[in-house]
Amino acid sequence: MASSLTKDPASTSGSVRTFFGHPRGLATLFMTEMWERFSFYGMRALLPLYLVSGSGLHMSATTATAVYSIYLAMVYLLAMPGGWFGDRVWGPRRTVVVAASVVMVGHLTLALPGSGSFFAGLALVALGSGLLKANISTMVGHLYDGPEDPRRDGGFTVFYMGINLGAFAAPLIIGTVGEKVNWHLGFALAAVGMGLGLVQFLIGTRHLDPRSNVVPKPLSAEERRSTLRKGLLWLVVAVVFYGVLVATDVYTLNWALVPITIAGLVIPVAVLVRIKRDRELTKTEQSKMSGYIWFFVAAAVFWMIYDQGGSTLSLFGESSTTNSLLGLHFPTSWYQTINPVIIMALAPVVAWIWLALNRRGKEPSTVVKFGSGLFLVGVSFLVFMLPLTMTSDGDKVSPMWLVSIYFLQTVGELCLSPVGLSVTTKMAPAKYGSQMMGVWFLAVTAGDCTTSLLSLAGVDLNKTGVVGLEAALAIVAGISIWMYRKKVSQLMGDVR
């Protein structure tokens, strides 16, 4: 990456080095996120395949989809307490160090054989990833001179490239080893990736903004005691409850999956209501939160469909595509490289287009970008209905069908996701800081828990009728966002 570090032309001394024209600390966060995503997406590519495999846990497709969706939902749900730890306990920088260590231990636990160690490792990875996500995004925001810094959106797009560089390499390395050699060796490679990310972060912390090492609103001694008491109480309740279920031989996997799914739907709503009703917020902050709810709902619908790329579409690829292109036969996990490849190809182009249009005063508003993302992810599932129909009698189709679906979803993601991260930091009430990044990730939780709820109810998401309904929901939501764009823009105030 050394060749990408250049002198900042805006510096009067000419001695300040930058990362693609952005603060040098972005390189540290870029590389940390890249390695964390390498570990995360490698395990993610293997997860649904391992769950249904005869050499894995041998689950049904619906149960595997539910487990996969709940796992993703918990990663993003735990971003909320992750932001809280960054705001109130450790500060963003220390929280990231703790989080990366937990993720590494989680992947090592996944590398051990047995269903017990598997679910324990899954829980640790979800916990660590949740702690890391909100705080590292907040530190990206710290690198810029407030919401009006013109480099800000571009900085988040460059950061997003780090995510996808790791996501691209992971299925090719971790996925191949896991599918072709040994599942647990693949999980162990994910731990190595996170370890490299942690070492790089510790070396590069000197380039980060000093604010990342500050606890914005430390807990008082009484708050610490109260939080500890409540945490221990809930832990004891959970241990006793599930201990009784196991002792009486009543426990099944659904006793864990169903409560988590319901919590993943209820908690996002409760958090939004709590923030919206906070009387300490100014009138302007209240208005921005009202506008933000529109983005939240739109994002939840988007991620409900988009995240099925690793479950519904992956399982379809395993059972109903030839997994062969131009004479090359490849593992199913390689489908997960399509999204990051397209992002790495198109993200710089999209970022350049936004900046060019901005200079001319013609850049689409955030509302329009969100509506476009929803519309495209809906169209992708309309396309998915075609290969589903073609394989209804047991035939297999070309992998190019999945490539086209992933392409549409990725273009939609580029319209919605980087902009969503940026607008969240811009619209966040001052009181909440890192926690608002957690709120943004709760939209993913709500979307994935909806998918999990459908799977737990026995709905086969690889049926044309269900896929068609999801497509219609996204398209209608996208059109609705576009129709009410002026109202949402008014609620956003000075944020564009």
Side-chain angles (χ1 to χ4, degrees):
M1 288 297 174
S3 61
S4 65
L5 291 169
T6 59
K7 290 184 178 181
D8 186 351
S11 172
T12 55
S13 66
S15 62
V16 178
R17 305 185 77 194
T18 68
F19 180 67
F20 293 111
H22 294 272
R24 192 175 178 184
L26 185 62
T28 297
L29 300 177
F30 174 97
M31 293 293 290
T32 305
E33 185 73 353
M34 182 192 76
W35 283 114
E36 190 273 335
R37 293 292 89 181
F38 174 83
S39 68
F40 176 82
Y41 280 99
M43 193 275 288
R44 181 179 182 263
L46 290 180
L47 181 56
L49 304 176
Y50 173 73
L51 291 174
V52 301
S53 172
S55 59
L57 296 188
H58 205 201
M59 294 180 177
S60 67
T62 53
T63 303
T65 299
V67 171
Y68 173 87
S69 299
I70 287 175
Y71 163 69
L72 287 186
M74 289 305 99
V75 168
Y76 293 98
L77 176 63
L78 291 167
M80 191 67 192
W84 180 86
F85 270 95
D87 277 348
R88 307 298 307 277
V89 183
W90 293 323
R93 193 180 303 186
R94 188 179 299 177
T95 304
V96 166
V97 173
V98 173
S101 302
V102 172
V103 169
M104 188 166 58
V105 172
H107 284 302
L108 290 173
T109 306
L110 282 168
L112 301 174
S115 59
S117 60
F118 173 80
F119 284 108
L122 208 60
L124 286 171
V125 174
L127 175 61
S129 297
L131 284 171
L132 187 142
K133 288 193 72 63
N135 289 283
I136 200 165
S137 297
T138 298
M139 286 192 286
V140 173
H142 285 163
L143 297 173
Y144 298 96
D145 298 326
E148 301 308 318
D149 191 323
R151 301 174 301 169
R152 190 183 185 92
D153 279 6
F156 273 101
T157 300
V158 172
F159 176 70
Y160 214 60
M161 289 285 285
I163 293 174
N164 290 283
L165 189 60
F168 164 72
L172 298 178
I173 300 173
I174 296 174
T176 302
V177 170
E179 281 194 74
K180 300 301 183 181
V181 182
N182 182 276
W183 296 109
H184 299 288
L185 182 58
F187 295 139
L189 283 178
V192 173
M194 188 67 264
L196 291 172
L198 176 59
V199 170
Q200 187 280 148
F201 181 79
L202 293 172
I203 292 173
T205 50
R206 65 186 184 278
H207 299 302
L208 301 178
D209 189 283
R211 287 176 293 174
S212 68
N213 213 25
V214 174
V215 182
K217 190 180 179 183
L219 290 173
S220 66
E222 177 54 36
E223 286 175 320
R224 283 180 179 273
R225 287 192 292 270
S226 175
T227 301
L228 184 60
R229 284 196 302 269
K230 291 177 182 177
L232 288 175
L233 176 61
W234 281 108
L235 178 61
V236 169
V237 169
V239 169
V240 170
F241 178 73
Y242 284 101
V244 170
L245 291 178
V246 172
T248 56
D249 202 26
V250 174
Y251 178 81
T252 64
L253 188 58
N254 278 355
W255 277 103
L257 299 182
V258 173
I260 294 174
T261 298
I262 294 172
L265 291 170
V266 172
I267 290 174
V269 175
V271 169
L272 283 174
V273 169
R274 179 177 63 83
I275 296 176
K276 186 69 177 66
R277 296 177 64 182
D278 190 336
R279 295 182 180 181
E280 293 184 17
L281 300 187
T282 66
K283 186 176 180 180
T284 299
E285 288 176 329
Q286 286 281 1
S287 177
K288 288 180 179 179
M289 281 304 303
S290 295
Y292 187 76
I293 290 173
W294 283 79
F295 295 118
F296 183 92
V297 174
V301 174
F302 178 89
W303 295 117
M304 178 188 71
I305 295 176
Y306 180 90
D307 274 347
Q308 290 182 56
S311 55
T312 304
L313 292 180
S314 182
L315 294 175
F316 177 82
E318 173 75 358
S319 63
S320 302
T321 65
T322 60
N323 282 2
S324 180
L325 195 62
L326 300 177
L328 173 67
H329 189 78
F330 53 86
T332 303
S333 57
W334 282 24
Y335 284 115
Q336 302 308 308
T337 66
I338 298 172
N339 169 265
V341 164
I342 296 172
I343 285 182
M344 287 188 290
L346 295 184
V349 177
V350 171
W352 178 84
I353 290 173
W354 293 154
L355 285 173
L357 291 174
N358 181 269
R359 294 190 197 102
R360 300 175 186 177
K362 296 182 179 180
E363 182 181 3
S365 68
T366 299
V367 182
V368 173
K369 292 174 184 177
F370 260 68
S372 300
L374 271 171
F375 183 82
L376 286 169
V377 83
V379 170
S380 77
F381 261 36
L382 285 181
V383 174
F384 186 29
M385 293 176 68
L386 297 176
L388 279 175
T389 302
M390 295 165 64
T391 57
S392 59
D393 57 358
D395 290 338
K396 294 192 174 185
V397 296
S398 166
M400 292 307 296
W401 282 106
L402 287 183
V403 172
S404 64
I405 295 167
Y406 283 124
F407 176 82
L408 288 168
Q409 292 185 348
T410 303
V411 176
E413 180 188 6
L414 285 170
C415 290
L416 184 143
S417 191
V419 177
L421 286 169
S422 183
V423 80
T424 297
T425 62
K426 291 178 181 179
M427 296 177 72
K431 179 179 177 180
Y432 292 97
S434 296
Q435 292 181 60
M436 275 302 291
M437 293 309 304
V439 172
W440 164 251
F441 294 128
L442 285 181
V444 187
T445 296
D448 285 329
C449 280
T450 302
T451 300
S452 175
L453 192 63
L454 290 171
S455 298
L456 290 172
V459 176
D460 186 349
L461 297 176
N462 265 312
K463 296 294 184 182
T464 54
V466 178
V467 169
L469 286 174
E470 291 182 86
L473 173 63
I475 291 172
V476 169
I479 293 173
S480 299
I481 287 285
W482 183 84
M483 289 176 62
Y484 286 93
R485 64 192 182 280
K486 291 183 179 179
K487 178 179 179 180
V488 178
S489 295
Q490 289 173 353
L491 291 171
M492 292 169 66
D494 58 351
V495 174
R496 290 293 177 267

